[in-house]
Amino acid sequence: KQRDSDYEEYKKAGRIWGLVPRERISTIRFPRVSKEIIEEFKKMQDLSTSVSDILDSFGIRGAVSTSHVKPVIPGRQIVGQAVTIRSIPERKTTTQGYNDKDFIKMATRDIYYLAEEGDILVTDFGGNLDVSNMGGQSCSVAKSCGLAGAVVNGAVRDIGTIKELDYPVWSCGTTPMTGKFRMQAVEMNGPVTLKDILVMPGDLIVADDSGICAIPFELVEKVLEKVKSVLAEEERMRELIFDKKPLDELRPLYRKRYK
């Protein structure tokens, strides 16, 4: 299997942390978006708004608002490919896990060393608001590995440290409670849910103060071209509006986004 071959290669390169069994890692390598395309997305203002509209025009449910998944540090915008973790609750009580000295089955460190520079972690614990998916130490490792940020379908902690690190994180909420002995990673680099949308490893994630969008890999270039076209139209419209041009000049520029 390609995954097993990749696993052995990454292990020899010192990129396997080893907290997650090999069988729980669905994918290690996936097709890559060029750095040039990612940089083009990064230059755009109000990015998630435009991308959300274009995904609608393609018939893709790919956007989540920051009413549900909020930025820990407002004012940031990130673009990168998704690496993913899906977690489920532990059956034992937390106290019993501590007493039994159980193995900690959280997996953010594993995914960071499998990821490439500029990737974005999307982690899914079903939107649970009580238990932390990651904190300051995890984000420190992520930043040292070059990840661009994280989007969490659940809660995070150590907010002060995350802000001090200036590491971009979006989450459903915040909590002081550790995920140790409360959750376990059951799949890495497989499909995950962010609120009510599907995210696949390799999807291009864009996140800003308005929301988060997941662009399917095969649509990235098409979405980019449509976004550039829309933004050019909107810039021309703003110029005409501020120049107080007559309505007869404005009307032809109104477009139907959902053709």
Side-chain angles (χ1 to χ4, degrees), residues 31 33 60 200 202-204 215-223:
V33 176
I60 300 294
M200 297 293 293
D203 284 357
L204 190 68
I215 308 172
F217 173 80
E218 64 275 11
L219 292 178
V220 168
E221 292 188 32
K222 292 180 180 179
V223 169

Side-chain angles (χ1 to χ4, degrees), residues 130-165:
D130 296 320
V131 175
S132 173
N133 289 249
M134 65 179 63
Q137 280 292 95
S138 176
C139 290
S140 296
V141 178
K143 188 167 185 176
S144 76
C145 290
L147 273 78
V151 178
V152 180
N153 192 28
V156 298
R157 67 178 191 164
D158 299 335
I159 301 306
T161 301
I162 292 173
K163 289 180 177 179
E164 185 178 337
L165 286 168

Side-chain angles (χ1 to χ4, degrees), residues 69 82-89 105-108 111 120-129 131-134 150-156 170-172 182-200:
V69 186
V83 290
T84 66
I85 298 176
R86 181 171 60 88
S87 298
I88 59 173
K105 299 172 185 174
M106 298 172 71
T108 55
I111 200 75
I120 295 170
L121 172 60
V122 182
T123 180
D124 176 16
F125 192 39
N128 183 300
L129 296 179
V131 175
S132 173
N133 289 249
M134 65 179 63
V151 178
V152 180
N153 192 28
V156 298
W170 282 251
S171 73
C172 299
R182 289 189 171 100
M183 61 189 291
Q184 62 172 300
V186 290
E187 186 175 19
M188 288 172 50
N189 278 346
V192 295
T193 300
L194 179 63
K195 189 181 178 288
D196 58 356
I197 70 167
L198 172 69
V199 178
M200 297 293 293

Side-chain angles (χ1 to χ4, degrees), residues 32 38 42 79-82 115-120 145-149:
R32 287 287 169 177
I38 290 174
K42 285 181 179 179
V79 181
Q81 287 187 266
E116 300 298 332
E117 186 174 349
D119 285 348
I120 295 170
C145 290
L147 273 78

